Amino acid sequence: MENRKYLLNCWYGLGWATEIDDGQLLSRKILGRNLIAFRDAEGRPAALRDRCPHRMAPLSRGVLRDGVVQCQYHGLCFDGAGRCVENPLGPLPERARVESFAVVERDKMLWIWPGDAALADPDQIPDYSFQNHDGVDGDWVVFGYTHVEADYQLETDNLLDLSHTEFLHAGSFGGRGFIQNGEFQLRDFGNEIHSNWWMPDIPFIDPKTRTPTGKRLDHFLDMRWNAPSNMRLHVSFLPQGVHADRKDTKRDDLPGQFSAHIITPEDDGSCHYFWSANKPTGAGPFVGGLDKDAGLALFKLAFEVEDKPMIEAVEANMESDFWGEEPVILPNDAGGIRARRRLAKLIRDEQAAAGGKEAQADKQRLAQPAE
Amino acid sequence: MENRKYLLNCWYGLGWATEIDDGQLLSRKILGRNLIAFRDAEGRPAALRDRCPHRMAPLSRGVLRDGVVQCQYHGLCFDGAGRCVENPLGPLPERARVESFAVVERDKMLWIWPGDAALADPDQIPDYSFQNHDGVDGDWVVFGYTHVEADYQLETDNLLDLSHTEFLHAGSFGGRGFIQNGEFQLRDFGNEIHSNWWMPDIPFIDPKTRTPTGKRLDHFLDMRWNAPSNMRLHVSFLPQGVHADRKDTKRDDLPGQFSAHIITPEDDGSCHYFWSANKPTGAGPFVGGLDKDAGLALFKLAFEVEDKPMIEAVEANMESDFWGEEPVILPNDAGGIRARRRLAKLIRDEQAAAGGKEAQADKQRLAQPAE
Amino acid sequence: MENRKYLLNCWYGLGWATEIDDGQLLSRKILGRNLIAFRDAEGRPAALRDRCPHRMAPLSRGVLRDGVVQCQYHGLCFDGAGRCVENPLGPLPERARVESFAVVERDKMLWIWPGDAALADPDQIPDYSFQNHDGVDGDWVVFGYTHVEADYQLETDNLLDLSHTEFLHAGSFGGRGFIQNGEFQLRDFGNEIHSNWWMPDIPFIDPKTRTPTGKRLDHFLDMRWNAPSNMRLHVSFLPQGVHADRKDTKRDDLPGQFSAHIITPEDDGSCHYFWSANKPTGAGPFVGGLDKDAGLALFKLAFEVEDKPMIEAVEANMESDFWGEEPVILPNDAGGIRARRRLAKLIRDEQAAAGGKEAQADKQRLAQPAE
Ligand code: FES
Ligand code: FES
Ligand code: FES
């Protein structure tokens, strides 16, 4: 892909693995490009540009048969690597090849590397292994998808500043006055940034009746961001005081609920939001109170009814790019701002490296004897 | 506001005063900017840019409480002057201020001055005092609003050339052949222009049956334009001959019907049309024939069903700006053309003055000793 | 018309002649310009720009009376030549003239010459005389219109490569495996190109049951293209072997079915598709099997349900112009590619000639004595 606005040598969520089961041909635009995804003859996920090289027909209008896509316009057939493997009307055309991308299936998600496939390193895919436990040992996982008409970084901003929970999610997660008394914790691990809240000794409010139970809890929200825009949240309510020593350490092993927030740019001003959440464990308002259906409904309410219209309204309200708007920066913006700056640097570095390679190629070409 | 296409130091209609009664938060785009209007803690009308300075959330998605608007994204609160008066999550942010505008409530209308508030002079608001008589002494006034997908000056053109009444309003006001025999009168008072028709000795046609009654009337249409685009029409039917001496003088004191035609640009190619009309007095087709409901229905028919589609079709039909279309100018275009030229000059003068101030500021800056 | 993207001195289909019968005012955009067509006082077809020269109102919102169009805004009246013939409000305005175009009615179609009317030569209109036989001697002709949101040359491409019949029209004309064994024949007559397929000795498959009858047929598809984008198809099924000598000669006289495919650009990225077809004669699957209603339904299915979405998807999938997409060219693309190149040359030549004339005019102007 040529688009220089986006980081290319990194993993983006392309879709849920189930979207290409049962011989389905998935059509999705990411980073401004129309793609298709499907399982090849060996069942491996494949991603191609959604464009037949003959007359530009979308291959997503084609037919998938035994892991091979046939263009419905004049019948050319392509495999998972984008090679033309059949021409019903004559010899195989030499140049007929569809652009293909590195795709990996992991933790129920299809991950795509839009840049140089030779650099695609599956070890860089962030961990979402909690997603593998749906139906295992009484656990459940809910999966969802929300299309958002806003720049993907506005979704990241939203997720890295959970203080909005109190106001925007007054009808779902928030409105109970916890976060105002919390401590914000920023942890920077380079391409991974944690934007956490530690809220000890809060009243245990019954989530159904919204009345205090008289008990006290320790509460935290740990949001992990991996470049470019893949997040995982760990929400926990613990018996008060028992885990007080975990205030400043990694808390992944503590009970709670994980949720995925995987954001992929669709195009300028729109993005895909893949989300999931598992069954909560531990203490507090979650446990026992939330079955799978209720969990799914709660997340849908929060992301589609509460977040989405606000984020889209912000997008519509912007007259220039983010910095051109001269936003007032508050202390709890630290995570979002850090992530924006990190990503901007990664994109700059990638472009500089690409420019360097091009310059080197030019130099080599000039060094050749003239023909 | 920075937009140099519009006259800024002048009054525009922002909305009917009733639109912000009962704690309502009015959201409206004018001159290309999204604004909100509301009553502050003292009940005074206020207008702010519809954009939280934190993360650009529209304040129109917020909550108005006791004259203070709370942003629904992360909870910052702003008063009618745009000052941040509360931050639930920490200290008041220094730079958090929303752009505010001078607003005056007069004659049931909210008037906004988008330019330099120090220059805002309420005495320049044109008189629409007839609008204050709804329900007074048996009078009534109807109020309406029509959104038009056309440049605001095309609405002005429409109103300043009432010869279109005969054709476009054949189903409401026109189609009776009066205006063809009228005398067009242009009166130029600078930023106020009158585009009038004097039609003496016309047959008194019954408006319901559309048949002549045998009686004769004197008729006039007096349209007053105030820059940039605020109009008032005075329509009168008088007993024939009684007021013949008023052909060439101001006729505001004569019986008839006043109507308001207040046009405010929304954005390129769209505008707001605020209109009203009072109960007719005097002689002729109006009197006795038109109750309040019928009056409202007639104006709606004329402005929404007859005018609006035609004006929007003209907008859609334009391939360049007005003068670029090289329109054929007819004698009855005199009012519209005069108003267009006047407004263009006011905008040019305002921009030249702004340019002069900027140049002076540059000069002073250069005169400072270097740091 | 000034638009230099299109060939101007040539004939385009503007509409079916029936579209202006019964005093109808036809409104249609072609080559990026809004036009109206109607019959003048003598019943002759006329085409004007859909724009009153007074205040740019669309004349299509006007009223046609006795071959004269009255603008519904302020009442100016125009004849078929675009002359202002009445002004109800004063003298005839000198400059009020609507741009008019040469129009010819032939073979049930209105043909328009958007360029220099002095060059308009009706002899250059391609023959569609089969369209005159509806209801004559037991023949029938069906007529249709399809709006396509795609560049007109993508429609031409579609029609000049009928190999797509096998795949895209599997539900209507194709899917029987004939064309894979056919011989493609390109014939180039300059501004007329034939893109033909000769398919001898194919099985006679019953079109209703889709099972072989045991008989054999000779089959051909002769597609004639005339610049810029007017096509006629001749489809024939013949008793096998009887006409074997006609493989390499013109075959217009043989039995079969003619269909019209007249494409007119509407604007960038959209076009009008006027189509018709007559009652098939001769041998094979057509004859006896297809009445008029079924014929119309079959063509609608093929052009609106099968072709249109694919061609529009190709349009939406293009990121640059046709050559910028670097399409893979297959042998059966020969007709479409030849037509694209021919049309491009005609446009270039026309523009060069126009440039030459302008240069000459400049020269003459410069040669005048200074005033
Ligand atoms: S466009 Fe795909 S085969 Fe022709
Ligand atoms: S955007 Fe308004 S408080 Fe954050
Ligand atoms: S716009 Fe046609 S007569 Fe005025």
Side-chain angles (χ1 to χ4, degrees):
Chain A
M1 293 198 184
E2 285 174 20
N3 201 321
R4 296 292 175 85
K5 285 173 298 191
Y6 302 109
L7 193 65
L8 297 185
N9 289 308
C10 65
W11 295 105
Y12 289 93
L14 176 59
W16 295 115
T18 53
E19 293 186 275
I20 57 167
D21 286 343
D22 309 320
Q24 281 182 78
L25 201 49
L26 172 66
S27 160
R28 185 157 284 148
K29 179 185 270 190
I30 71 163
L31 284 66
R33 283 292 174 85
N34 293 313
L35 304 182
I36 52 167
F38 58 98
R39 294 197 184 276
D40 70 9
E42 279 76 41
R44 293 172 309 207
L48 304 180
R49 190 166 167 201
D50 188 12
R51 174 187 173 280
C52 178
H54 174 225
R55 286 301 187 115
M56 292 76 85
L59 293 173
S60 56
R61 300 188 75 87
V63 175
L64 180 65
R65 232 182 265 112
D66 303 326
V68 164
V69 183
Q70 179 168 39
C71 177
Q72 199 63 359
Y73 205 172
H74 313 90
L76 294 179
C77 297
F78 302 92
D79 69 9
R83 283 182 297 250
C84 184
V85 292
E86 194 192 331
N87 173 12
L89 289 154
L92 284 188
E94 286 284 327
R95 287 176 48 233
R97 193 176 177 108
V98 185
E99 195 180 0
S100 69
F101 300 91
V103 181
V104 168
E105 178 173 359
R106 180 170 295 179
D107 300 339
K108 308 293 182 197
M109 172 57 64
L110 304 172
W111 295 95
I112 185 168
W113 180 275
D116 181 352
L119 303 176
D121 173 10
D123 288 349
Q124 293 180 28
I125 298 173
D127 172 65
Y128 291 94
S129 54
F130 76 85
Q131 294 184 156
N132 298 316
H133 290 265
D134 190 27
V136 177
D137 298 336
D139 284 349
W140 50 253
V141 184
V142 293
F143 296 88
Y145 167 80
T146 302
H147 184 260
V148 181
E149 292 280 343
D151 182 74
Y152 72 115
Q153 294 198 65
L154 292 177
E155 263 293 346
T156 303
D157 288 342
N158 172 278
L159 289 155
L160 291 184
D161 178 6
L162 291 182
S163 77
H164 78 273
T165 304
E166 184 64 18
F167 310 97
L168 194 54
H169 298 303
S172 57
F173 305 131
R176 287 171 292 174
F178 297 160
I179 211 157
Q180 288 90 324
N181 303 306
E183 180 185 322
F184 177 71
Q185 302 174 321
L186 179 72
R187 309 212 191 288
D188 191 333
F189 305 98
N191 294 351
E192 180 170 315
I193 290 169
H194 295 210
S195 189
N196 299 343
W197 288 89
W198 175 251
M199 290 160 278
D201 199 14
I202 60 165
F204 179 175
I205 293 172
D206 186 289
K208 281 177 190 153
T209 62
R210 299 224 157 202
T211 52
T213 59
K215 295 189 208 153
R216 309 291 296 179
L217 294 170
D218 291 343
H219 177 35
F220 64 79
L221 298 170
D222 285 3
M223 182 66 87
R224 180 193 77 190
W225 170 85
N226 290 88
S229 43
N230 303 315
M231 280 147 281
R232 194 198 63 183
L233 177 64
H234 185 196
V235 177
S236 194
F237 291 89
L238 304 168
Q240 197 270 317
V242 177
H243 300 276
D245 60 319
R246 303 303 289 279
K247 183 189 161 193
D248 293 310
T249 57
K250 289 194 101 177
R251 298 178 280 243
D252 284 9
D253 57 314
L254 290 177
Q257 179 178 47
F258 287 105
S259 56
H261 307 267
I262 297 167
I263 313 294
T264 304
E266 180 183 56
D267 210 338
D268 283 0
S270 65
C271 63
H272 306 287
Y273 181 5
F274 303 99
W275 48 266
S276 73
N278 71 357
K279 182 180 171 183
T281 57
F286 284 151
V287 182
L290 204 67
D291 66 13
K292 189 175 181 178
D293 286 350
L296 183 62
L298 181 68
F299 280 88
K300 268 203 179 199
L301 167 65
F303 303 152
E304 303 221 330
V305 180
E306 295 175 338
D307 276 326
K308 176 182 154 84
M310 179 59 90
I311 296 167
E312 294 180 341
V314 169
E315 171 74 30
N317 220 15
M318 289 178 74
E319 299 184 348
S320 67
D321 68 2
F322 179 76
W323 294 109
E325 291 287 335
E326 302 185 13
V328 167
I329 308 296
L330 303 180
N332 29 299
D333 282 313
I337 296 293
R338 190 70 61 98
R340 276 189 176 268
R341 294 216 164 106
R342 188 70 25 90
L343 181 56
K345 180 171 162 30
L346 288 168
I347 293 172
R348 275 198 313 275
D349 290 352
E350 181 171 288
Q351 291 177 9
K357 267 190 208 153
E358 279 165 25
Q360 207 177 334
D362 283 349
K363 215 168 154 184
Q364 285 180 359
R365 220 175 8 250
L366 289 170
Q368 306 291 322
E371 293 172 57
Chain B
M1 292 198 183
E2 284 174 22
N3 201 321
R4 297 290 176 87
K5 285 173 296 191
Y6 302 110
L7 192 65
L8 298 183
N9 289 308
C10 65
W11 294 105
Y12 290 93
L14 176 60
W16 295 115
T18 52
E19 293 186 276
I20 58 168
D21 286 341
D22 308 319
Q24 281 182 78
L25 202 48
L26 172 66
S27 159
R28 184 157 287 148
K29 180 184 270 190
I30 70 162
L31 283 67
R33 282 291 175 85
N34 292 313
L35 304 182
I36 53 167
F38 58 98
R39 294 198 184 276
D40 70 10
E42 280 75 41
R44 292 171 309 206
L48 303 180
R49 191 167 164 198
D50 187 10
R51 173 188 174 279
C52 179
H54 174 226
R55 286 302 187 114
M56 291 76 84
L59 293 172
S60 56
R61 300 188 74 87
V63 175
L64 179 65
R65 234 182 264 112
D66 303 327
V68 165
V69 182
Q70 179 167 40
C71 178
Q72 198 63 0
Y73 205 171
H74 312 90
L76 294 179
C77 297
F78 302 92
D79 70 9
R83 283 181 298 249
C84 183
V85 294
E86 195 192 332
N87 173 11
L89 289 155
L92 284 188
E94 286 283 326
R95 285 176 48 233
R97 190 173 181 110
V98 185
E99 195 180 0
S100 69
F101 299 91
V103 181
V104 168
E105 179 174 358
R106 179 169 296 178
D107 299 339
K108 307 294 183 196
M109 171 58 63
L110 303 172
W111 296 95
I112 185 168
W113 180 276
D116 181 352
L119 303 177
D121 174 8
D123 288 348
Q124 292 179 28
I125 299 174
D127 172 65
Y128 291 95
S129 53
F130 76 84
Q131 293 184 155
N132 298 316
H133 290 266
D134 190 29
V136 177
D137 296 336
D139 284 349
W140 50 254
V141 184
V142 293
F143 295 89
Y145 167 79
T146 302
H147 184 261
V148 181
E149 292 280 343
D151 182 73
Y152 72 115
Q153 295 198 66
L154 293 178
E155 263 293 347
T156 303
D157 288 342
N158 171 279
L159 289 155
L160 291 185
D161 178 7
L162 291 182
S163 77
H164 77 273
T165 303
E166 182 63 19
F167 309 98
L168 195 55
H169 298 304
S172 56
F173 304 131
R176 287 171 291 174
F178 298 158
I179 211 156
Q180 288 90 323
N181 303 306
E183 178 185 324
F184 178 71
Q185 303 174 320
L186 178 73
R187 311 213 190 287
D188 189 333
F189 306 98
N191 295 351
E192 179 171 316
I193 290 170
H194 295 212
S195 189
N196 299 345
W197 288 90
W198 174 252
M199 291 160 276
D201 198 14
I202 59 164
F204 180 175
I205 293 173
D206 186 289
K208 281 175 189 153
T209 61
R210 299 221 157 203
T211 51
T213 59
K215 294 187 211 154
R216 309 290 295 179
L217 295 170
D218 291 343
H219 176 34
F220 64 79
L221 298 169
D222 285 3
M223 182 66 87
R224 180 193 77 192
W225 171 86
N226 290 87
S229 43
N230 302 315
M231 280 147 281
R232 194 198 63 183
L233 177 63
H234 186 198
V235 176
S236 195
F237 291 89
L238 305 168
Q240 198 269 320
V242 176
H243 299 276
D245 59 320
R246 302 303 289 279
K247 183 189 161 193
D248 294 309
T249 57
K250 288 195 102 177
R251 299 179 280 243
D252 283 10
D253 57 315
L254 291 177
Q257 179 178 46
F258 287 104
S259 56
H261 306 267
I262 298 167
I263 314 294
T264 304
E266 180 184 57
D267 210 337
D268 283 359
S270 64
C271 63
H272 306 289
Y273 181 4
F274 303 99
W275 48 265
S276 73
N278 70 358
K279 182 180 171 182
T281 56
F286 284 153
V287 182
L290 204 68
D291 67 13
K292 189 175 181 178
D293 287 349
L296 183 62
L298 180 68
F299 280 88
K300 269 203 178 198
L301 167 65
F303 304 152
E304 303 221 330
V305 180
E306 295 175 338
D307 276 326
K308 176 182 154 84
M310 178 59 90
I311 296 168
E312 294 181 340
V314 168
E315 171 75 30
N317 220 16
M318 289 178 73
E319 299 184 347
S320 69
D321 68 3
F322 179 76
W323 294 109
E325 292 287 336
E326 302 184 11
V328 167
I329 308 297
L330 303 179
N332 30 298
D333 282 313
I337 295 294
R338 190 71 62 99
R340 277 190 174 266
R341 294 217 163 106
R342 187 70 26 90
L343 181 55
K345 179 169 164 32
L346 288 168
I347 294 173
R348 274 198 315 274
D349 289 352
E350 181 171 288
Q351 291 177 9
K357 267 190 209 155
E358 279 167 25
Q360 207 177 334
D362 283 348
K363 213 167 156 185
Q364 284 179 358
R365 218 174 13 247
L366 289 170
Q368 306 291 322
E371 294 173 57
Chain C
M1 292 198 183
E2 284 173 21
N3 202 321
R4 297 291 175 86
K5 287 173 297 191
Y6 302 109
L7 192 65
L8 297 184
N9 289 308
C10 65
W11 293 105
Y12 289 94
L14 175 59
W16 296 115
T18 52
E19 294 186 275
I20 57 167
D21 287 342
D22 308 320
Q24 282 183 79
L25 202 48
L26 172 66
S27 161
R28 184 157 285 148
K29 180 186 269 190
I30 71 162
L31 284 66
R33 283 291 175 85
N34 292 313
L35 304 183
I36 53 167
F38 58 98
R39 295 198 184 277
D40 69 10
E42 280 75 39
R44 293 171 308 207
L48 303 180
R49 191 165 166 202
D50 187 11
R51 174 188 174 281
C52 178
H54 174 226
R55 286 301 187 115
M56 291 75 85
L59 293 173
S60 56
R61 299 189 76 87
V63 174
L64 179 65
R65 233 183 265 113
D66 303 326
V68 165
V69 183
Q70 178 167 40
C71 177
Q72 198 64 0
Y73 206 172
H74 313 89
L76 295 179
C77 297
F78 302 92
D79 69 9
R83 283 181 298 249
C84 183
V85 294
E86 194 191 331
N87 173 13
L89 289 155
L92 283 189
E94 286 283 327
R95 284 178 48 234
R97 193 177 177 107
V98 186
E99 195 180 359
S100 68
F101 299 91
V103 181
V104 168
E105 179 174 359
R106 178 170 296 178
D107 300 337
K108 308 294 182 196
M109 171 59 63
L110 303 172
W111 296 95
I112 185 169
W113 180 276
D116 181 353
L119 303 176
D121 173 10
D123 289 348
Q124 292 179 28
I125 299 174
D127 172 66
Y128 291 95
S129 53
F130 76 85
Q131 294 184 156
N132 298 317
H133 290 265
D134 190 27
V136 178
D137 297 335
D139 284 349
W140 49 254
V141 184
V142 293
F143 295 89
Y145 167 80
T146 302
H147 184 259
V148 181
E149 292 280 344
D151 182 74
Y152 72 116
Q153 295 198 64
L154 292 178
E155 264 293 347
T156 303
D157 288 342
N158 171 278
L159 289 155
L160 291 185
D161 178 6
L162 291 183
S163 76
H164 78 273
T165 303
E166 183 63 19
F167 309 98
L168 194 55
H169 297 305
S172 56
F173 305 131
R176 287 171 292 174
F178 298 159
I179 211 157
Q180 288 89 323
N181 302 306
E183 179 186 323
F184 178 72
Q185 303 174 321
L186 179 72
R187 312 212 190 288
D188 189 334
F189 305 98
N191 294 352
E192 179 169 316
I193 290 170
H194 295 211
S195 188
N196 299 345
W197 287 90
W198 173 253
M199 290 160 277
D201 198 14
I202 60 165
F204 179 176
I205 293 173
D206 186 289
K208 282 175 188 153
T209 62
R210 297 222 158 204
T211 52
T213 59
K215 294 188 209 154
R216 310 289 295 179
L217 294 171
D218 290 344
H219 177 33
F220 63 78
L221 298 170
D222 285 4
M223 182 67 86
R224 180 192 77 191
W225 171 85
N226 290 88
S229 42
N230 302 316
M231 280 147 281
R232 194 198 64 183
L233 177 64
H234 185 199
V235 177
S236 194
F237 291 88
L238 304 168
Q240 197 271 319
V242 177
H243 300 277
D245 59 320
R246 302 302 288 278
K247 182 188 161 194
D248 294 308
T249 56
K250 289 194 103 178
R251 298 179 280 243
D252 284 9
D253 58 315
L254 291 177
Q257 178 178 48
F258 287 104
S259 57
H261 307 267
I262 298 167
I263 314 295
T264 304
E266 179 184 56
D267 210 337
D268 283 0
S270 65
C271 63
H272 307 287
Y273 181 4
F274 302 99
W275 47 265
S276 73
N278 70 359
K279 181 180 172 183
T281 56
F286 284 152
V287 181
L290 203 68
D291 67 13
K292 188 174 182 178
D293 287 350
L296 184 61
L298 180 69
F299 280 88
K300 270 203 177 197
L301 168 65
F303 303 152
E304 303 221 330
V305 180
E306 296 176 337
D307 277 325
K308 175 182 155 84
M310 179 59 91
I311 295 169
E312 293 180 341
V314 169
E315 171 74 30
N317 220 14
M318 289 179 74
E319 298 184 347
S320 68
D321 68 3
F322 179 76
W323 294 108
E325 291 287 336
E326 302 184 11
V328 167
I329 308 297
L330 303 180
N332 30 298
D333 282 314
I337 295 294
R338 188 71 61 99
R340 276 190 175 268
R341 294 215 164 108
R342 186 70 26 91
L343 181 56
K345 180 171 162 30
L346 289 168
I347 294 172
R348 274 199 314 274
D349 290 352
E350 181 171 289
Q351 292 177 8
K357 266 190 209 155
E358 280 166 25
Q360 206 177 336
D362 283 348
K363 214 168 155 185
Q364 285 180 357
R365 219 173 12 247
L366 289 169
Q368 306 292 320
E371 295 173 55

